[in-house]
Amino acid sequence: MNILSFNPGHDGSIAYLKNNKLIFSIEAEKNSNYRYSPISSHDVFRALSEINEIPDVICTGGWWPREEPILGFTQHAGYRGISNSEIMIRKHQMLGKDVNFFSSSHERSHVLSAYGLSNLPKGSPFYALVWEGEIGAFYEVDSNLNIKLIANVLNEPGNRYASIYGLADPTFPKNAPFSRFSDAGKLMALTSFSKRNIATKQEEKLISFLLDTPHIQLSLYDDLEKSPYYNVGIENEEFRNFAGIFSDRIFNIFYRFAKDNLKKKITTCHCGRMWIKL
C-alpha cells in the first residue's frame, strides 16, 4: 500500500510511505525556510515529482476549527475526539483514479503517532500522555488500539505555559489575537536560568490565576497589568526564576496524577510538545 500524508498548517510536511517503508519526508521549514512554515504549492509539486504512481491513500490529521464544507464535505477531521467515529474516510478522484482519503482527529493522531514511533511490539497495551497547546490528558490504549480517556488533567497546558513569555516581553503586543509560535520554545530556554524553587506570595497568586482560568485568552493580560512581571523584560533575573517555578508546577500536576492513577505496569508514551526544566 502506498500512502501520501500531509500536514498543511504550521510545521507543514508531506510524507510518502510505500509498503510500510518511509520513502521521503518533505518539511517546509527545512532548507533555510522560515520556521513554522506551511507547505506550499512548490512543496506539493516536489512531492509529486518523487513518486511514480498515484497513492492508494491520502492522509491528513485533524485540526480546528473545521474547514467550511466544500461540495458537501469537510476536508479533515476535527481537533478533539478519540473514538473511531472521529475518523473520516471517503473516496476522491486523483488523475482519473479513485483514491481513499483518510483523516483522524488531532487528539487521536497524537496518541497513535506516539505508539507508531515507539519501540513497543505490535499489540502492546500502553498509557499515553498528550501534552500540548490545547490538550493535557492521559489515555489507556488496549492491544486492539481502542483508546480510553483516563482524564483531562489540565486543559491548554501549552497555552498557559507560553502566556508568561508574552507577559514579560515588552515587545509582545498585549492585544495580539494569539501567542507567537516561538514563545514556548524561548521560555524553555529561560527556565534553565532559574535559581530557586519556591514561589513568592505574589508568584503564587499569579500561578493560581494562570492555572485556574478556565480558558486562556490573551485578554488575560488586561488583568495582569499590576503583575511584577508585566513587561519586565525576559532578561529579568526574577522572571527567569519564575519561569522555572511555573514550568515545574505544570509538570508536577501531570506527575502527581500519573503517580496516583496509572497503576498498571505498562509503558507510557508521551506525545505533543512537552517541556521539562533540567
Side-chain angles (χ1 to χ4, degrees), residues 61-265:
W63 198 246
W64 61 284
R66 285 175 178 264
E67 296 179 14
E68 291 296 320
I70 301 174
L71 301 178
F73 57 81
T74 53
Q75 287 293 326
H76 52 66
Y79 198 92
R80 296 300 300 260
I82 56 174
S83 70
N84 290 338
S85 63
E86 305 303 325
I87 297 172
M88 297 179 66
I89 301 174
R90 59 178 179 268
K91 294 284 187 180
H92 271 305
Q93 279 276 317
M94 184 176 182
L95 299 177
K97 178 184 175 181
D98 282 338
V99 176
N100 290 300
F101 181 89
F102 174 89
S103 183
S104 174
S105 74
H106 186 78
E107 182 177 18
R108 187 176 180 277
S109 297
H110 263 310
V111 173
L112 296 184
S113 292
Y115 171 65
L117 291 170
S118 74
N119 61 356
L120 289 174
K122 186 177 180 179
S124 299
F126 64 98
Y127 291 124
L129 167 59
V130 176
W131 176 346
E132 48 116 77
E134 166 71 16
I135 307 170
F138 278 101
Y139 311 80
E140 183 176 347
V141 186
D142 67 19
S143 58
N144 294 315
L145 295 181
N146 295 307
I147 306 170
K148 174 186 175 183
L149 174 67
I150 299 175
N152 286 303
V153 179
L154 178 67
N155 73 307
E156 300 184 66
N159 297 342
R160 296 175 195 277
Y161 180 75
S163 67
I164 67 169
Y165 190 94
L167 173 66
D169 184 3
T171 70
F172 181 74
K174 299 302 187 282
N175 62 348
F178 302 104
S179 294
R180 296 163 296 198
F181 287 138
S182 61
D183 284 2
K186 290 177 179 178
L187 190 66
M188 294 178 206
L190 290 181
T191 62
S192 64
F193 293 96
S194 182
K195 296 179 180 178
R196 60 181 170 87
N197 299 315
I198 300 175
T200 66
K201 289 184 179 180
Q202 278 187 313
E203 289 172 341
E204 286 291 353
K205 290 181 179 180
L206 177 56
I207 291 171
S208 295
F209 175 80
L210 293 171
L211 294 182
D212 294 342
T213 299
H215 174 56
I216 292 293
Q217 302 180 65
L218 295 190
S219 59
L220 64 87
Y221 294 129
D222 295 338
D223 300 317
L224 295 176
E225 289 187 3
K226 295 183 179 179
S227 165
Y229 300 124
Y230 190 90
N231 284 342
V232 72
I234 59 174
E235 299 288 340
N236 181 272
E237 182 178 358
E238 288 307 313
F239 172 70
R240 292 181 172 191
N241 287 332
F242 176 68
I245 291 170
F246 189 52
S247 179
D248 287 342
R249 192 66 61 89
I250 293 177
F251 173 81
N252 285 335
I253 291 172
F254 291 95
Y255 173 76
R256 290 196 303 270
F257 182 90
K259 187 176 181 180
D260 293 341
N261 295 278
L262 306 188
K263 300 300 184 179
K264 296 181 180 179
K265 294 183 179 180

Side-chain angles (χ1 to χ4, degrees), residues 43-58:
D43 300 314
V44 173
F45 280 108
R46 180 185 168 195
L48 293 177
S49 71
E50 296 283 343
I51 62 178
N52 56 13
E53 57 194 325
I54 297 174
D56 299 304
V57 183
I58 298 176

